[in-house]
Amino acid sequence: MFSIDEIRAQFPVLDQQVYGKPLVYLDNAATTQKPLCVIERERDYYLHENCNIHRGVHYLSQKATEAYEHARQTVASFVNARDAREIIFTRGTTESLNLLATSFEHLFFKDSSLDRFVPRDDAKQPKVLVTAMEHHSNLVPWQQMIQRHNGELLVVPMDGKGVLDLNHYEELLKEGLKVVSIAHISNVLGTINPVKQMIAMAHKYGIPVIIDGAQSIAHHPIDVQDFDCDFFVFSGHKMYAPMGIGGLYGKSEWLEKLPPYQFGGEMVDMVSFEKTTFNVLPFKFEAGTPNVGAALGLETAIQFLQSLDRKEVEAYEEKLLQSAIQQLSEIDGIRFIGQAEHRSGLVSFIIDGVHPYDLGTIIDKMGVAVRTGHHCAEPVMTCFGIPGTVRASFALYNTMEEVEILVNAVKKAAMMLR
Ligand SMILES: Cc1ncc(COP(=O)(O)O)c(C=O)c1O
């Protein structure tokens, strides 16, 4: 078993008081804290290695380029991609999904021989499938693209426990879809969707599948080849890495086919006033100067996770979650939002007669940091007919004692507010 004290010693930010109470940080689904090794890696880069990459012949530039490409290789191994060319560095999940929505739009509508947008017959009114539990990041980019072309956004419904209706999904797959884009784990409900099965089902109809791994990558080993997903997107900051870095895995066949997303330096091959040709993968999708320091921090965060027994971490986090659910369920009037059998990482709830915002504000004064509101998933709130939830989300540095502090704080706040 890993030592929780040793782990926590690597996260100095946890060792502080807020409003005179020890900080209990349970907002990990929004962002995780960063271990010293990650902070030091980024600092070290700026102290000793900072340089723009890929373009310089000089020593520092070559060193920074090698480090950046090494980080790409590390990400590739971490998600078990076949090739580092299949990893694109982005700012995070949101940028990765915008990249995909834009590139698919260009693929559907841009006639490259004419170099202008022409709706092709087979792509008129594109249909994209998402689920009822998506974060706005996996909804709005598709919605925008679809609205520009009079297409249709189809939605896989879920039941009252937050479990997707796979029979309905199968029916929707027959509707002539262009893309399926689904969350691996819901950031509101904690539901782990059966993505491997859903990918296989979509592939029967020849439809590419994107997996939003923002909430899964920190908690579970990811194997994109085993999933057989066409794309997998994630954010570094939710897996102990710095903000401003994330990734997009794409099967090389797809990435070769998709047009670039942004244009500028680095992503080009040859440029004249008449015409531009584009660079090879992965550079074709990385326009401009990347966040090298954060990419190195992401590599270090991966190495930090790999230094632990991930099965053990999974089991530990599961214990935290189950203990929180069990203790919270003793509170009068509590209603859990999301009760899927397969769930992970977080618990969302409301309490009769108590506004989530008020509850979050009061327990904050007791040192407990949770998130309240719609969690960037307003349609989920609409499905459940609620304005928002209180969400406690866990990371590997949280403790059973913190779970107890959370439960006691919620009990006290509920009493004060009712
Ligand atoms: C499931 C899911 N998708 C996408 C995002 C967006 O991630 P980011 O803000 O890091 O781009 C989040 C963030 O909470 C999320 O939970």
Side-chain angles (χ1 to χ4, degrees), residues 224-243:
V224 291
Q225 290 189 66
D226 180 53
F227 282 172
D228 196 27
C229 52
D230 300 281
F231 303 93
F232 183 94
V233 298
F234 66 95
S235 301
H237 73 95
K238 293 184 196 285
M239 53 173 290
Y240 311 104
M243 290 189 174

Side-chain angles (χ1 to χ4, degrees), residues 83-345:
D83 195 316
R85 293 183 318 129
E86 298 183 312
I87 301 298
I88 314 297
F89 282 120
T90 64
R91 283 192 296 134
T93 309
T94 303
E95 187 174 48
S96 298
L97 290 165
N98 275 277
L99 184 162
L100 288 171
T102 307
S103 289
F104 268 108
E105 178 177 24
H106 289 200
L107 183 70
F108 299 152
F109 295 105
K110 191 168 180 185
D111 185 326
S112 54
S113 62
L114 299 171
D115 208 23
R116 62 186 161 82
F117 289 89
V118 195
R120 295 205 304 266
D121 278 352
D122 65 338
K124 269 183 194 159
Q125 303 177 325
K127 292 181 180 174
V128 173
L129 183 82
V130 296
T131 79
M133 61 177 79
E134 298 308 323
H135 187 281
H136 295 163
S137 290
N138 194 28
L139 175 57
V140 183
W142 299 113
Q143 194 178 51
Q144 292 296 304
M145 185 267 257
I146 277 162
Q147 283 173 358
R148 281 193 287 274
H149 303 287
N150 204 18
E152 203 180 334
L153 190 70
L154 302 172
V155 182
V156 187
M158 61 181 164
D159 67 15
K161 289 190 163 178
V163 177
L164 294 176
D165 180 341
L166 292 193
N167 291 328
H168 203 124
Y169 174 60
E170 176 91 52
E171 288 311 305
L172 293 173
L173 290 173
K174 299 172 186 161
E175 296 270 329
L177 304 175
K178 286 287 170 195
V179 184
V180 166
S181 194
I182 49 185
H184 188 187
I185 296 183
S186 157
N187 68 311
V188 179
L189 313 165
T191 309
I192 305 176
N193 289 318
V195 288
K196 191 171 169 179
Q197 183 187 356
M198 293 176 80
I199 292 161
M201 287 165 77
H203 283 175
K204 273 201 310 196
Y205 297 87
I207 308 162
V209 183
I210 298 162
I211 301 298
D212 172 353
Q215 292 298 339
S216 59
I217 195 158
H219 301 290
H220 306 284
I222 299 298
D223 184 336
V224 291
Q225 290 189 66
D226 180 53
F227 282 172
D228 196 27
C229 52
D230 300 281
F231 303 93
F232 183 94
V233 298
F234 66 95
S235 301
H237 73 95
K238 293 184 196 285
M239 53 173 290
Y240 311 104
M243 290 189 174
I245 190 76
L248 184 166
Y249 154 81
K251 281 184 183 164
S252 55
E253 311 82 278
W254 270 111
L255 293 177
E256 296 285 5
K257 215 165 13 173
L258 286 175
Y261 162 57
Q262 290 182 330
F263 302 88
E266 204 54 43
M267 53 75 65
V268 291
D269 171 30
M270 288 191 33
V271 181
S272 70
F273 283 116
E274 289 72 40
K275 188 174 165 59
T276 295
T277 55
F278 302 122
N279 206 340
V280 293
L281 289 179
F283 313 113
K284 171 177 131 183
F285 288 103
E286 291 182 7
T289 301
N291 194 342
V292 180
L296 304 186
L298 173 60
E299 175 175 45
T300 306
I302 289 173
Q303 290 161 345
F304 164 73
L305 279 170
Q306 286 172 330
S307 73
L308 303 165
D309 178 337
R310 294 207 69 197
K311 286 278 159 217
E312 218 178 85
V313 171
E314 248 180 357
Y316 178 70
E317 290 181 348
E318 177 65 14
K319 251 170 60 184
L320 293 175
L321 177 64
Q322 291 308 329
S323 170
I325 292 170
Q326 190 254 314
Q327 292 184 60
L328 287 168
S329 63
E330 289 162 12
I331 297 175
D332 245 12
I334 196 160
R335 175 180 164 205
F336 292 108
I337 303 301
Q339 298 184 61
E341 189 189 336
H342 299 292
R343 55 190 296 189
S344 173

